[in-house]
């Protein structure tokens, strides 16, 4: 579906400005978090490091999304996710059309954790916060599984994108069964989250420095929850079909 874009040259300049501001502010937030995490690491007992880091990341992402809404015409509505905060351990699965997805989910789930690229753990912008928050590295399949199981046993809400990365075909591509295997092993229920985008901004085929199509509208909706006892061999294809039928786009 072709994107409808304004042809006004001033609006084109505004979209280019939004691209720069959005990326620049995110980089500044990451830079500013380094001394914050350093202070928290020194002052707080180790038992509180994970909780403090996750709360700080969630707060920073909410501020970032607030800025995008009122300055950059990128409106993300994820208020439905607030109802999940009081729940216990969950395997939270969502479609993954954009780089903004993890930011949106973590902004509303202060006890949320996720799988983090192993190569980024040494990145000065992201690595300190990711390690302190206890995000699980994907450096090896065994460590990823053991880390995921440990986080769920400690009451975390574990975020998984079953497409294995950003959607190869907007807004949904094929699912893997990883979330189903993890649910069976840990007895944690699967909570579906539906992410609706008006355009595939920062998606798999949208370059980082390609200007957005504004206004960008994003909504995160709480979908159905599946108990481990209800999972069957065909559950993976059923989940994919559910997302394909429920996700809105365009």
């Amino acid at each position: 579906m072709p994107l409808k874009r304004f042809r006004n040259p001033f609006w084109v300049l505004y979209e280019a400005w939004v691209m720069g501001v959005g990326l620049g502010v995110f980089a500044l937030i990451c830079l500013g978090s380094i001394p914050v995490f350093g202070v928290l690491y020194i002052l707080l007992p180790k038992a509180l490091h994970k909780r403090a880091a996750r709360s700080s990341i969630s707060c920073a992402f909410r501020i970032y999304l607030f800025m995008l809404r009122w300055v950059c015409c990128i409106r993300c509505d994820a208020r439905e996710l607030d109802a999940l905060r009081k729940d216990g351990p969950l395997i939270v699965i969502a479609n993954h059309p954009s780089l903004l997805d993890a930011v949106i989910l973590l902004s509303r789930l202060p006890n949320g954790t996720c799988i983090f690229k192993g190569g980024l753990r040494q990145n000065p912008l992201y690595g300190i916060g990711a390690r302190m928050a206890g995000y699980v590295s994907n450096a090896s399949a065994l460590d990823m599984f053991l880390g995921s199981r440990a986080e769920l046993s400690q009451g975390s809400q574990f975020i998984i994108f079953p497409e294995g990365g950003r959607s190869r075909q907007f807004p949904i591509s094929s699912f893997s069964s990883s979330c189903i295997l993890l649910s069976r092993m840990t007895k944690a229920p699967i909570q579906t989250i539906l992410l609706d985008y008006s355009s595939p901004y920062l998606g798999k085929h949208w370059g980082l420095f390609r200007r957005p199509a504004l206004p960008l509208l994003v909504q995160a909706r709480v979908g159905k929850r599946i108990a481990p006892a209800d999972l069957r061999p065909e559950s993976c294809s059923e989940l994919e079909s559910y997302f394909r039928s429920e996700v809105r786009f365009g």
Side-chain angles (χ1 to χ4, degrees), residues 141-221:
L142 178 61
D143 289 345
M144 186 169 60
F145 174 76
L146 294 177
S148 305
R149 187 173 65 177
E151 286 297 329
L152 287 164
S153 68
Q154 295 166 18
S156 299
Q157 296 181 332
F158 199 84
I159 298 169
I160 293 178
F161 297 113
E163 294 164 274
R166 282 175 291 169
S167 305
R168 293 174 294 281
Q169 294 179 325
F170 178 78
I172 299 285
S173 52
S174 58
F175 280 19
S176 75
S177 60
S178 57
C179 60
I180 294 172
L181 295 174
L182 186 60
S183 179
R184 284 175 173 168
M185 293 296 296
T186 62
K187 306 305 179 185
I190 293 175
Q191 175 63 61
T192 61
I193 301 295
L194 308 167
L195 297 176
D196 307 323
Y197 276 75
S198 61
S199 79
Y201 178 55
L202 294 180
K204 185 76 171 179
H205 306 293
W206 195 293
L208 188 62
F209 297 104
R210 178 184 172 188
R211 61 186 176 88
L214 300 177
L216 175 66
L217 306 178
V218 186
Q219 185 175 20
R221 295 181 289 123

Side-chain angles (χ1 to χ4, degrees), residues 9-142:
F10 293 104
W11 190 258
V12 172
L13 289 174
Y14 173 68
E15 289 180 335
W17 177 83
V18 163
M19 177 195 67
V21 169
L23 295 175
V25 170
F26 187 82
L28 287 175
I29 289 175
C30 293
L31 282 172
S33 70
I34 295 175
V36 172
F37 287 129
V39 170
L40 293 175
Y41 186 87
I42 294 171
L43 296 181
L44 294 178
K46 189 174 182 179
L48 297 179
H49 283 178
K50 187 180 294 185
R51 182 187 304 175
R54 290 181 182 178
S55 296
S56 298
I57 291 170
S58 182
C59 181
F61 283 170
R62 290 189 73 165
I63 292 172
Y64 179 64
L65 292 174
F66 182 85
M67 185 278 300
L68 291 182
R69 179 180 184 87
W70 295 108
V71 178
C72 297
C73 213
I74 297 176
R75 304 184 182 116
C76 301
D77 183 0
R79 290 172 293 180
E80 284 192 23
L81 274 61
D82 292 346
L84 302 178
R85 293 184 181 186
K86 65 181 184 300
D87 296 342
L90 293 171
I91 299 172
V92 177
I93 70 170
N95 53 309
H96 195 11
S98 171
L99 286 174
L100 289 174
D101 301 333
V103 173
I104 293 170
L105 296 179
L106 290 172
S107 74
R108 295 287 178 168
L109 300 176
N111 193 29
T113 186
C114 60
I115 296 172
F116 199 72
K117 288 185 178 181
L120 292 178
R121 288 177 66 86
Q122 306 305 319
N123 186 298
L125 281 180
Y126 315 121
I128 296 175
R131 291 196 300 271
M132 193 168 172
Y135 294 166
V136 176
S137 171
N138 69 350
S140 76
L142 178 61

Side-chain angles (χ1 to χ4, degrees), residues 229-241:
D230 295 332
L231 294 172
R232 306 184 303 277
E234 61 270 24
S235 292
C236 181
S237 60
E238 290 176 352
L239 270 175
E240 183 180 331
S241 297

